[in-house]
Amino acid sequence: DKQSYSYIQLISSAFEISNILSSSDLISTSKESKREKPSLSVDGVGGLGHLGGARIGIVAKPSAEFVAGMLGTWLSGGVAVPLALSYPEAELLHVMNDSDVSIVLSTEDHHEFLQEVASKCAARHSVIPPVLSISSQKNAHDHSPPGGIDERGILQRNIETSSEDPALIIYTSGTTGKPKGVVHTHRSITAQVQTLAEAWEYTSADQFLHCLPLHHVHGLFNALLAPLYAGSTVEFMPKFSVRGIWQRWRESYPIEGTKADDAITVFTGVPTMYTRLIQGYEAMDPELQAASASAARQLRLMMCGSSALPQPVMQQWETITEHRLLERYGMTEFVMAISNPLEGIRKAGTVGKPFPGVQVKILEENENEDDTDRVGELCVKSPSLFRGYWKLPEVTRESFTDGDFFRTGDAGKVDVDGYYIIVGRTSADIMKVGGYKLSALEIESAILEHPAVAECCVLGLPDKDYGEAVCAIIVPNAEVKRIREEDLKPAITLEELCSWAKEKLAPYKLPTRLLLWDSLPRNAMGKSSFVTPSLCLI
Ligand code: ATP
Ligand code: MG
């Protein structure tokens, strides 16, 4: 049931949605107070378009309709708030109330549910018509806004939004606390998509296989907005499927050296996706493995981010596909800022160098220490920096240094070649054991190399002698677990793990507690760093 849409069809739909949003009925009945300009950290929400900076929630699975909803919001001077279908109702309501959405746009399939939810927060609900139904009736010119399309084919908008006006409120992943609304402007969005498209050489010849949620920056910017800016094709696979992905790659490159017309050329994912893809590959028979690996090799680019890529995963992926994953570092507040290069050395265990125009500073606890290998909090200045946290002026203020660098909350260091290494979050991933500061990421990476380990999460548990004790939570490899259970043994014991790991880790880094779990709880971005001590002490 594949359906493809041209850019002109998407734009037609965006204009239609802009017309719907601008209809006096929706505007006049949406709560008037919500159209006022609530005070942001910096100043009010501007934009004198029809919607005057009103927040428009968008709920749709990754699809052409989602894209049209977002572009239509921008054409009308609204602020898009991507909402997740996967949110439980309470969380959906929290985000809708927090961002003061006036109108919620959804596709027809979620109509009833959203109408009900919208009514609970005094918002209006409107349906995004199927892109095909609009674009087959009319062409883009029929939908053009008052400004029309000029002789060069460039859209002219008659609404008075400035590039400094908010365009997007996108929520952080909620790894370290309640998700925060991050306000991006038209300018910060434009700066970012230009940077990504240039750095990774996205072109109209590219086709992306998109399996990420659209309410986080990885899926929205790296795999959707930047490709659209570059004129690439984006193919949505709304539900991540290991078999589906391998199959789609094999269809793209059916025989070594051949390429289908609609071949996938770029893939970007979170580390857990690559772990799952490796597991899927290992379960294939040798013939299918050969065809799959050969197809994957032929993609132009494979990227990874959103959380630390464990080196064993990176190495296994390289062995199978010959792709050194391009790892980069970003966060909701500035989208992407540091990246390994497209051409040149992609250094394992690093996230590369700052993009052009980006400045990174390492804020050390003791500012006088000046050593390249010192760990400190990464602070970033970037053209794509957000404008502030929505309705959290105090938090916004505290997030900047005196010199206007944004404090990431991530600890890192830079190597002699200028490549950055993320050590962990300044709070959650740095354990304080005795006098040592230990990186949970480093210990996880070492443990993951053990053959009995499929997934791993390391954290500090309160300890009366040392302050914190290193605890490893392990999801065992299914096959190892099965064999060991036949002998009534656990998949791995703490003694076995430590006697193996002492070759790789200093004695004070070795876990003193081990928990074996069936799975790790992960959020929409595959992150497990929100596993807290309380979860382990139950
Ligand atoms: P919250 O801010 O609500 O606690 P979050 O920080 O996880 O959640 P995001 O903005 O989605 O929300 O994620 C940004 C974080 O992801 C970064 O601060 C960093 O900790 C982590 N991250 C992103 N890319 C990488 C990477 N390549 N290596 C290590 N960590 C990464
Ligand atoms: Mg964060």
Side-chain angles (χ1 to χ4, degrees):
D1 60 347
K2 248 193 210 172
Q3 177 63 55
S4 37
Y5 308 91
S6 65
Y7 275 49
I8 210 85
Q9 286 175 312
L10 285 175
I11 291 165
S12 298
S13 288
F15 284 145
E16 180 64 23
I17 289 161
S18 165
N19 290 339
I20 294 172
L21 286 174
S22 312
S23 80
S24 52
D25 179 39
L26 269 182
I27 289 297
S28 60
T29 45
S30 65
K31 234 187 176 176
E32 200 54 36
S33 64
K34 294 194 173 181
R35 297 192 57 226
E36 284 168 12
K37 300 174 178 179
S39 94
L40 239 186
S41 54
V42 194
D43 53 11
V45 171
L48 301 174
H50 309 296
L51 295 179
R55 271 72 60 208
I56 310 298
I58 302 175
V59 191
K61 68 173 197 247
S63 58
E65 284 72 26
F66 180 99
V67 178
M70 190 156 220
L71 297 181
T73 298
W74 288 340
L75 281 169
S76 320
V79 179
V81 185
L83 300 167
L85 269 170
S86 56
Y87 285 157
E89 187 181 320
E91 207 165 321
L92 194 61
L93 266 174
H94 163 73
V95 174
M96 284 166 68
N97 274 322
D98 185 61
S99 59
D100 285 331
V101 292
S102 300
I103 303 168
V104 183
L105 290 174
S106 84
T107 37
E108 182 63 46
D109 38 351
H110 307 295
H111 175 69
E112 268 175 36
F113 169 62
L114 277 157
Q115 199 156 36
E116 204 186 305
V117 178
S119 70
K120 289 186 188 160
C121 59
R124 294 297 310 267
H125 171 252
S126 187
V127 168
I128 306 173
V131 167
L132 205 61
S133 72
I134 295 166
S135 49
S136 58
Q137 289 164 22
K138 298 178 181 177
N139 63 39
H141 290 265
D142 298 329
H143 288 271
S144 52
I149 297 178
D150 74 10
E151 62 284 358
R152 294 163 302 159
I154 293 177
L155 303 170
Q156 298 298 307
R157 296 185 309 159
N158 251 3
I159 54 171
E160 294 173 47
T161 39
S162 110
S163 59
E164 299 304 326
D165 286 330
L168 177 71
I169 299 181
I170 183 159
Y171 282 76
T172 60
S173 297
T175 310
T176 56
K178 242 188 162 56
K180 299 182 280 290
V182 166
V183 181
H184 275 285
T185 61
H186 291 281
R187 188 180 48 74
S188 65
I189 294 171
T190 308
Q192 177 65 192
V193 295
Q194 285 172 340
T195 298
L196 298 189
E198 276 166 31
W200 300 330
E201 295 182 10
Y202 290 178
T203 71
S204 57
D206 279 321
Q207 179 142 343
F208 287 70
L209 183 57
H210 189 301
C211 321
L212 291 157
L214 292 176
H215 61 288
H216 291 299
V217 290
H218 188 169
L220 185 63
F221 282 79
N222 302 28
L224 178 63
L225 295 178
L228 291 187
Y229 171 79
S232 314
T233 302
V234 177
E235 180 175 321
F236 292 115
M237 181 185 273
K239 209 166 158 31
F240 172 75
S241 152
V242 169
R243 273 161 162 254
I245 290 173
W246 281 115
Q247 186 180 333
R248 189 64 191 90
W249 290 343
R250 288 193 301 269
E251 285 166 10
S252 299
Y253 304 95
I255 309 167
E256 183 87 53
T258 61
K259 182 176 177 191
D261 288 342
D262 62 350
I264 303 299
T265 62
V266 182
F267 184 77
T268 176
V270 301
T272 332
M273 288 183 174
Y274 289 100
T275 306
R276 303 262 187 276
L277 286 164
I278 292 169
Q279 288 163 353
Y281 173 84
E282 284 171 348
M284 292 174 193
D285 65 44
E287 212 172 306
L288 200 60
Q289 278 189 341
S292 301
S294 152
R297 266 200 295 279
Q298 294 176 71
L299 266 75
R300 178 176 81 78
L301 177 61
M302 289 183 165
M303 297 185 278
C304 188
S306 286
S307 52
L309 171 64
Q311 287 195 44
V313 177
M314 191 210 71
Q315 275 150 9
Q316 273 174 295
W317 192 254
E318 195 166 352
T319 308
I320 297 169
T321 66
E322 293 177 17
H323 276 280
R324 165 65 60 101
L325 288 171
L326 187 155
E327 187 177 1
R328 84 297 171 291
Y329 165 81
M331 58 196 293
T332 316
E333 290 85 340
F334 47 73
V335 195
M336 302 295 126
I338 310 180
S339 172
N340 271 287
L342 184 67
E343 308 291 345
I345 297 168
R346 296 181 195 166
K347 267 196 174 186
T350 82
V351 292
K353 297 183 180 183
F355 278 132
V358 170
Q359 293 174 60
V360 180
K361 198 168 91 161
I362 295 179
L363 194 69
E364 288 157 25
E365 270 174 28
N366 182 348
E367 289 261 23
N368 298 326
E369 294 174 75
D370 180 28
D371 182 339
T372 43
D373 209 29
R374 264 184 204 288
V375 173
E377 182 176 2
L378 294 182
C379 299
V380 169
K381 241 185 211 180
S382 162
S384 60
L385 204 54
F386 72 135
R387 205 168 109 171
Y389 291 115
W390 179 250
K391 289 197 209 155
L392 295 170
E394 205 45 49
V395 182
T396 306
R397 252 191 302 279
E398 284 165 6
S399 304
F400 284 86
T401 66
D402 292 342
D404 284 339
F405 275 80
F406 172 69
R407 302 181 64 144
T408 63
D410 288 316
K413 58 184 179 181
V414 61
D415 75 5
V416 284
D417 299 317
Y419 284 65
Y420 282 80
I421 296 155
I422 309 295
V423 179
R425 292 179 188 261
T426 43
S427 49
D429 292 335
I430 307 291
M431 295 168 290
K432 298 194 176 98
V433 178
Y436 297 108
K437 281 188 193 165
L438 309 186
S439 159
L441 303 186
E442 182 200 348
I443 301 174
E444 282 169 11
S445 204
I447 292 177
L448 273 167
E449 285 182 45
H450 192 288
V453 178
E455 293 176 49
C456 167
C457 170
V458 166
L459 77 164
L461 294 187
D463 183 277
K464 65 176 173 10
D465 295 326
Y466 293 98
E468 282 187 300
V470 179
C471 171
I473 306 169
I474 285 177
V475 178
N477 172 296
E479 188 57 14
V480 174
K481 184 173 173 218
R482 192 186 60 74
I483 294 168
R484 297 263 304 202
E485 278 177 355
E486 279 175 11
D487 296 333
L488 302 174
K489 286 189 186 144
I492 183 165
T493 63
L494 183 63
E495 293 68 37
E496 285 166 337
L497 179 68
C498 290
S499 83
W500 171 87
K502 67 177 191 282
E503 306 288 320
K504 299 166 187 295
L505 295 167
Y508 55 91
K509 295 182 181 172
L510 293 172
T512 50
R513 309 223 181 124
L514 172 66
L515 300 174
L516 297 181
W517 287 8
D518 290 337
S519 64
L520 284 176
R522 293 187 185 272
N523 64 15
M525 295 310 287
K527 299 184 193 203
S528 63
S529 10
F530 65 101
V531 176
T532 54
S534 58
L535 272 178
C536 306
L537 297 172
I538 295 168

